[in-house]
């Protein structure tokens, strides 16, 4: 089985690995498509410390090929999207209705195994770690049953893959974390797959204006197509806050979203939020980064500053619901795919991502017999 392995910091290779059969409660998935996300890049460049070597990829979709003992929720032949927060259902956070904060899901992300401690990957150099319990930049993956969400069998799997991370993260930040309502003003910093999904979800909720901020002209154009009413070109100004204030009657946005993961943009996000508004940090900064906030403004402006992890989602409900919006033509997933790559072109996908050229790059390991959106839409024509 071929897979994209981060052998060491900055060293990515496609290798032939052994993939052991699924153990109890585990599932073997033939991967049809896997998006390349900033978190993959950050695991590779060392910004996110994860155990290496590891097979990257956490935004995947595919077809179940085999099930280990005791698996009930899926069967061979089912189409699935992978979830990188395999919540346990029994820890404190799962019990209070916050599966996004599941202690066990965090633990496996750090230790690089499957839930329960299983390791199913090995290569010429010995055992290979699992990345976020998914490791789907590969021809196949063994994952926990709770890392897969069954979806309708007629949807293109490359579009569906994006719902495994970027789309659910962005959509959930708007709908679950912020609860954006009709007529609310929204600003979005950073227009990758997540930021563009925030723009689309804000449009679906009837927000206006929707102000999109990025340094790349092509992404600003894309944001307009996805529903942004105004754009701010961050390559042309150091001050991205003033234009947002100007567009919101001098007050600032009701909701501002940061989808970059850098201290300067997080501080700008807070500053462009109106008094008593909400600033939502979705971008993932390196663990050592810190921000500076004016202490007086915390009570005096009474903004809510919060984070949003995986869109505060319940993947088994949100992923199928988001895909139904796609089928109905209300959410554009195909437009998020800038380019498709073969598995042996994976390094190029990382270079393009780092250059800021992609909304999403999607690796399609093997196209045989699996629908992708290149085959034409399964959704309603609008
Ligand atoms: Zn991701
Ligand atoms: Zn839990």
């Amino acid at each position: 089985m071929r897979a994209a392995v981060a052998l060491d910091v900055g060293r990515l290779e496609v290798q032939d690995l052994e993939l052991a059969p699924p153990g109890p409660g585990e599932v073997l998935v033939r991967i049809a498509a896997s998006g390349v996300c900033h978190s993959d890049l950050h695991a590779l460049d060392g910004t996110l410390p994860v155990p290496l070597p590891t097979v990257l990829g956490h935004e995947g979709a595919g077809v179940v090929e085999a099930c280990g003992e005791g698996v009930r929720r899926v069967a061979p032949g089912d189409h699935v999207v992978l979830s990188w927060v395999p919540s346990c259902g029994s820890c404190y956070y799962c019990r209070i209705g916050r599966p996004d904060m599941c202690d066990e899901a965090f633990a496996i992300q750090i230790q690089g195994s499957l839930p329960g401690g299983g390791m199913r990957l090995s290569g010429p150099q010995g055992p290979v770690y699992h990345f976020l319990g998914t490791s789907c930049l590969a021809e196949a993956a063994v994952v926990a049953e709770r890392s897969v969400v069954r979806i309708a069998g007629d949807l293109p799997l490359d579009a569906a893959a994006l719902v495994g991370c970027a789309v659910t993260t962005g959509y959930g930040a708007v709908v679950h974390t912020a609860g954006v309502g009709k007529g609310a003003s929204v600003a979005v910093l950073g227009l990758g797959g997540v930021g563009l999904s925030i723009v689309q979800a804000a449009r679906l909720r009837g927000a206006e204006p929707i102000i999109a901020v990025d340094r790349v002209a092509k992404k600003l154009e894309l944001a307009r197509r996805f529903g942004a009413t105004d754009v701010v070109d961050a390559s042309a100004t150091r001050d991205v806050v003033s234009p947002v204030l100007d567009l919101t009657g001098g007050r600032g946005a009701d909701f501002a979203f940061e989808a970059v993961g850098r201290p300067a943009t997080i501080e700008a996000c807070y500053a462009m939020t109106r008094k008593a508004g909400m600033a939502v940090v979705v971008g993932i900064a390196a663990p050592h980064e810190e921000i500076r906030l004016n202490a007086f403004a915390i009570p005096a402006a009474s903004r809510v500053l919060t984070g949003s992890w995986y869109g505060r989602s319940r993947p088994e409900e949100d992923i199928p619901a988001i895909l139904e919006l796609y089928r109905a033509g209300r959410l554009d997933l195909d437009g998020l795919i800038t380019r498709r790559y073969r598995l042996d072109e994976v390094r190029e996908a990382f270079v393009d991502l780092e250059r800021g050229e992609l909304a999403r790059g999607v690796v399609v390991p093997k196209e045989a017999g699996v629908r992708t959106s290149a085959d034409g839409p399964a959704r309603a024509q609008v």
Side-chain angles (χ1 to χ4, degrees):
M1 187 280 307
R2 285 157 66 244
V5 191
L7 289 166
D8 212 335
V9 170
R11 219 175 122 219
L12 181 66
E13 264 177 37
V14 175
Q15 283 196 332
D16 239 313
L17 299 184
E18 290 295 321
L19 183 62
E26 294 172 1
V27 177
L28 169 65
V29 180
R30 183 66 47 191
I31 302 297
S34 179
V36 183
C37 174
H38 268 100
S39 303
D40 297 306
L41 178 61
H42 289 161
L44 178 63
D45 70 16
T47 313
L48 276 184
V50 295
L52 299 175
T54 190
V55 173
L56 294 174
H58 63 282
E59 187 179 79
V63 181
V64 174
E65 200 162 276
C67 293
E69 203 186 304
V71 169
R72 300 264 175 276
R73 281 170 40 196
V74 290
D78 283 349
H79 288 207
V80 292
V81 168
L82 303 187
S83 153
W84 55 267
V85 182
S87 51
C88 72
S90 56
C91 74
Y92 174 82
Y93 293 101
C94 285
R95 282 188 278 115
I96 65 165
R98 287 297 299 271
D100 55 317
M101 292 287 106
C102 173
D103 282 330
E104 200 181 308
F106 273 92
I108 68 132
Q109 289 169 6
I110 290 162
Q111 80 202 26
S113 70
L114 298 178
M119 300 275 290
R120 304 289 171 244
L121 291 160
S122 56
Q125 64 281 357
V128 174
Y129 291 100
H130 295 260
F131 181 55
L132 304 184
T134 45
S135 284
C136 53
L137 276 171
E139 290 172 338
V142 168
V143 301
E145 179 180 17
R146 61 174 105 124
S147 295
V148 298
V149 175
R150 186 151 59 99
I151 61 165
D154 61 339
L155 293 164
L157 286 165
D158 52 359
L162 305 191
V163 184
C165 182
V167 180
T168 296
T169 297
Y171 177 89
V174 171
V175 172
H176 301 312
T177 307
V180 170
K182 200 170 166 50
S185 56
V186 165
V188 186
L189 283 149
L191 301 172
V194 173
L196 289 168
S197 298
I198 291 171
V199 168
Q200 288 209 72
R203 187 203 72 225
L204 278 177
R205 301 288 281 200
E208 197 183 346
I210 300 169
I211 307 159
V213 185
D214 200 283
R215 307 178 58 84
V216 180
K218 264 194 282 187
K219 289 185 178 173
L220 294 172
E221 216 178 281
L222 206 50
R224 279 198 191 274
R225 223 175 84 199
F226 283 162
T229 56
D230 301 273
V231 298
V232 176
D233 181 353
S235 73
T237 173
R238 283 179 67 92
D239 171 20
V240 296
V241 175
S242 299
V244 174
L245 299 184
D246 291 344
L247 289 161
T248 52
R251 283 189 302 275
D254 297 331
F255 299 94
F257 296 86
E258 200 270 3
V260 182
R262 292 212 185 105
T265 41
I266 293 169
E267 288 165 8
C269 174
Y270 183 76
M272 66 176 60
T273 303
R274 70 155 162 81
K275 288 195 282 186
M278 187 185 280
V280 184
V281 179
V282 184
I284 299 171
H288 67 273
E289 303 269 32
E290 298 194 343
I291 60 166
R292 281 172 70 92
L293 294 180
N294 179 273
F296 174 75
I298 295 173
S302 289
R303 299 173 177 108
V304 175
L305 172 61
T306 187
S308 185
W309 188 252
Y310 208 14
R312 205 176 283 191
S313 62
R314 296 169 173 280
E316 63 286 1
E317 292 160 28
D318 284 298
I319 289 174
I322 289 168
L323 283 167
E324 287 311 311
L325 290 171
Y326 166 69
R327 187 199 295 278
R330 299 183 62 204
L331 201 67
D332 180 3
L333 301 181
D334 303 323
L336 284 174
I337 302 175
T338 314
R339 203 185 140 185
R340 291 174 180 76
Y341 302 84
R342 297 190 311 270
L343 189 55
D344 55 22
E345 296 172 320
V346 69
R347 270 196 287 215
E348 215 176 310
F350 277 81
V351 170
D352 292 347
L353 179 68
E354 202 165 13
R355 284 197 190 128
E357 287 176 1
L358 303 173
R360 251 333 183 229
V362 176
V363 173
V364 181
K366 257 186 195 153
E367 290 172 74
V370 179
R371 258 191 85 77
T372 66
S373 55
D375 303 327
R379 64 192 195 289
Q381 297 291 328
V382 284

